Amino acid sequence: MKRFKWIPLLLLSVFCITACTNEPVVTKEPKKVQASFSEDNKVNVASLDMEVGKVTDAKKDIPFGDKLGNNKLVKLDVTLKNTTEYGIPIAASTFHVLDSSGKYHANYAMEGELGQVIPGGEVLEGMIYFAIPEERTIEKVIYEDEARSAYQEWKVEK
């Protein structure tokens, strides 16, 4: 008789665990903002005039003790202008790159890179670092700020 009391409790606990772990994950796709292109690489994305510079080698900027393994460190210079009267936050983490093998890479966090609020009407010049495999090159630079529904791609010319 005691054995039958544990069976319903065991079945109930299995049911509860199964119900809690099978919740579907819903990802919300950000709405993309269409950027206006000019003849050079300057664009306006969600109230920010953006210009990307060259992708350059940043071997001399590697902090002492950092081990990149088979990766190389490159940096991207950017210029941003807030075209509103309100402050707009900007972070290096809103930028990522696509390399020549089709893999995406997030920024490589470094001291002194983008990560502040741009006051209204102000211009900010900064840099963003990326660690990519030695034998690869950067094909595209992507800016994506889901909180502001902003998206922009730049193709890197060879």
Side-chain angles (χ1 to χ4, degrees):
M1 194 69 159
K2 288 183 180 181
R3 189 170 71 169
F4 291 114
K5 289 182 183 178
W6 289 103
I7 291 175
L9 288 174
L10 180 63
L11 289 174
L12 181 63
S13 64
V14 168
F15 174 74
C16 289
I17 291 171
T18 306
C20 292
T21 59
N22 287 336
E23 294 180 17
V25 177
V26 178
T27 56
K28 191 170 91 174
E29 185 68 28
K31 186 176 86 176
K32 310 280 189 214
V33 173
Q34 181 61 47
S36 59
F37 290 90
S38 59
E39 292 188 17
D40 49 36
N41 61 0
K42 292 180 183 177
V43 295
N44 183 283
V45 182
S47 301
L48 282 175
D49 285 340
M50 306 176 91
E51 181 179 5
V52 294
K54 292 188 223 177
V55 176
T56 56
D57 181 45
K59 184 185 284 187
K60 63 178 175 47
D61 296 339
I62 298 173
F64 180 75
D66 275 12
K67 304 276 190 256
L68 294 178
N70 292 332
N71 291 334
K72 63 182 173 183
L73 189 65
V74 295
K75 73 177 176 179
L76 171 71
D77 295 315
V78 294
T79 303
L80 308 163
K81 180 181 180 189
N82 182 347
T83 60
T84 69
E85 58 187 47
Y86 306 103
I88 296 177
I90 189 74
S93 61
T94 56
F95 289 85
H96 51 281
V97 293
L98 176 71
D99 72 17
S100 53
S101 72
K103 297 200 181 200
Y104 289 93
H105 300 276
N107 73 301
Y108 185 80
M110 296 275 287
E111 188 176 334
E113 68 181 353
L114 290 179
Q116 59 262 32
V117 174
I118 306 171
E122 296 291 317
V123 175
L124 175 69
E125 293 181 3
M127 60 200 104
I128 305 161
Y129 293 88
F130 300 97
I132 63 170
E134 285 280 348
E135 68 280 356
R136 298 185 190 156
T137 58
I138 293 177
E139 298 288 324
K140 285 185 183 178
V141 175
I142 298 131
Y143 167 75
E144 185 172 22
D145 186 351
E146 292 179 6
R148 299 183 62 240
S149 300
Y151 182 87
Q152 176 62 43
E153 288 183 2
W154 291 270
K155 186 173 170 117
V156 177
E157 295 180 6
K158 301 292 179 209

